[in-house]
């Protein structure tokens, strides 16, 4: 296991880069606690966390408990750059893991650090999310050969817990630009909620949010205001119906009636 | 129906299979679990499509293909209301512009109506039940069922409470469809007279029955060479 013998620091959201850099200098291996673990592990925390609750917050608690014997630090984003759930998760982790140093922080960077090159490139969506999510853990994405490309459609939202959603979109061989919180992560400004609200209204859009997330309020409004948008709200892992809904939108709206793009 | 014989196309929904024998033209509707394993279809659509064929077509794609000339000319709204979910498709001059699909919250409409009809002791078709004044307002079939039981316990007659439930479901569908002046209605609830009359309270309803997806599947199967 790549973390064997290493000091572990867990992060969630996109903490200020100087905090993560300092931890790396101190020899910590940075783990992203937002990434959903095995579904069984998420089930195990349902005694502690309400069953009907954001899958990402549940993942944070589940991951922290899984790593409890090796985790020394948790850097918890608790402001506009994350959510109120992040704040309460930090308070809970302080109680559950008293030996772990939980640092509450917020990434208030206002001016973009980078252009949204990955978000607007021709990379498959799965790869885009993989590369963008290297930034919060203090790594640099691979940008070799990455070029801006004209969008066929857009995706608005946070990284889905179930990557099958992204894989389904990628099946159609389209160029999909990213908007919402994920785009802000690439730009280094996760707390710029004013920019998070935006999406390209001129391209077909998948507007995504996890069930029980406060962002569903805006997501649902955005999908209704957008002339060609599919509202996709998934509690944790997509059902067959939800994937069928996405496929129908891709075939009929993004690619044209009855026509598959590739 | 003889097992395995014949060329079949199947719309295999959550509860019901709509089957077309392409050679004889015979059509029937049976519980999907009664038919699964007994028929091998040329192609299938719907939630349980993979139980019948390896050639699977998305159910909304099949629906649009089956609607044909009905959806040409201006703005059209098609709603397919089944046991488990409701899909609304918005078209301009025959081209799909938008899809709304309640697969979780707001769902289980048809299924809930079937269950409550049995409990209320009424004909599932709603035949002879007048459209009520009020309705049960609930975002989903399951929450609506809770309100149904509350009404009955307060002294409401079960058939009247049932009618209010169905009207609430009809209102949900009309709302999901964006409150249009006209809805093209497909799916199992086209056979519920009460539902259609309730929906007609707010808009014109053009009922196209339960076999539109199968007809669309037929057209797509010919196009893809699965059927000659």
């Amino acid at each position: 296991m790549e973390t064997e013998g290493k000091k572990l620091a867990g992060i969630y959201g996109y903490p200020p880069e100087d905090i993560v850099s300092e931890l790396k200098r101190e020899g910590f291996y940075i783990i992203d606690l937002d990434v959903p673990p095995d579904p069984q592990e998420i089930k195990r925390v349902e005694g502690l966390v309400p069953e009907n609750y954001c899958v990402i917050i549940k993942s944070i608690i589940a991951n922290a408990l899984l790593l409890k014997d090796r985790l020394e630090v948790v850097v918890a984003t608790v402001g506009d750059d994350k959510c109120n759930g992040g704040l309460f998760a930090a308070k809970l982790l302080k109680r559950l893991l008293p030996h772990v140093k939980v640092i509450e922080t917020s990434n208030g960077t206002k001016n973009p650090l980078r252009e949204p090159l990955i978000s607007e490139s021709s990379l498959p969506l799965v790869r885009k999310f993989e590369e963008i999510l290297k930034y919060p853990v203090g790594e640099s994405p691979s940008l070799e050969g990455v070029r801006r490309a004209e969008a066929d459609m857009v995706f608005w939202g946070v990284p889905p817990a179930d990557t099958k959603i992204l894989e389904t979109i990628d099946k159609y061989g389209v160029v999909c630009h990213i908007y919402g919180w994920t785009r802000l992560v690439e730009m280094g400004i996760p707390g710029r909620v004013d920019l998070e609200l935006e999406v390209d209204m001129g391209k077909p859009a998948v507007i995504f949010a996890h069930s029980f997330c406060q962002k569903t309020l805006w997501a649902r409004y955005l999908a209704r205001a957008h002339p060609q948008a599919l509202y996709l709200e998934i509690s944790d892992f997509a059902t067959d119906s939800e994937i069928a809904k996405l496929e129908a939108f891709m075939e009929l709206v993004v690619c044209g009636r009855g026509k598959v793009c590739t | 129906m003889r097992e395995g014989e014949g060329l079949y196309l199947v719309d295999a929904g959550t509860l019901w299979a709509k089957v077309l024998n392409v050679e004889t033209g015979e059509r029937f509707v049976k519980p999907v679990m009664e038919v699964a394993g007994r028929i091998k279809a040329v192609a299938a659509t719907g939630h349980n499509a993979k139980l019948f064929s390896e050639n699977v077509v998305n159910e909304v794609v099949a629906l649009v293909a089956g609607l044909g000339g009905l959806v040409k000319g201006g703005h059209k709204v098609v709603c397919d209301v089944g046991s488990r979910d409701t899909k609304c498709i918005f078209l301009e001059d025959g081209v799909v512009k938008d899809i709304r699909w309640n697969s979780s919250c707001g769902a289980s409409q048809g299924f809930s109506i079937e269950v409550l009809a049995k409990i209320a002791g009424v004909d599932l078709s709603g035949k002879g039940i007048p459209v009520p004044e009020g309705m049960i307002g609930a975002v989903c079939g399951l929450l609506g069922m809770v309100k149904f039981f509350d009404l009955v316990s307060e002294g409401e007659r079960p058939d009247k409470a049932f009618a209010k439930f169905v009207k609430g479901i009809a209102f949900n569908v009309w709302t999901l469809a964006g409150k249009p002046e006209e809805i093209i209605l497909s799916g199992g609830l086209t056979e519920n007279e009460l539902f259609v009359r309730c929906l007609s309270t707010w808009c014109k309803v053009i009922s196209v029955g339960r076999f539109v997806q199968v007809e669309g599947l037929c057209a797509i199967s010919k196009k893809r060479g699965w059927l000659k």
Side-chain angles (χ1 to χ4, degrees), chain B residues 95-124:
Chain B
V95 178
V96 175
K97 291 296 182 188
D98 199 8
I99 300 171
R100 289 180 201 161
W101 185 330
N102 269 355
S103 54
S104 49
C105 196
S108 306
Q109 334 257 32
F111 169 75
S112 313
I113 288 178
E114 284 187 47
V115 168
L116 279 186
K118 282 186 188 141
I119 292 171
V122 301
D123 189 319
L124 179 57

Side-chain angles (χ1 to χ4, degrees), chain B residues 15-28:
Chain B
L15 293 180
W16 299 97
K18 284 71 71 181
V19 183
L20 168 68
N21 184 321
V22 179
E23 290 169 318
T24 65
E26 183 198 6
R27 297 177 173 205
F28 55 87

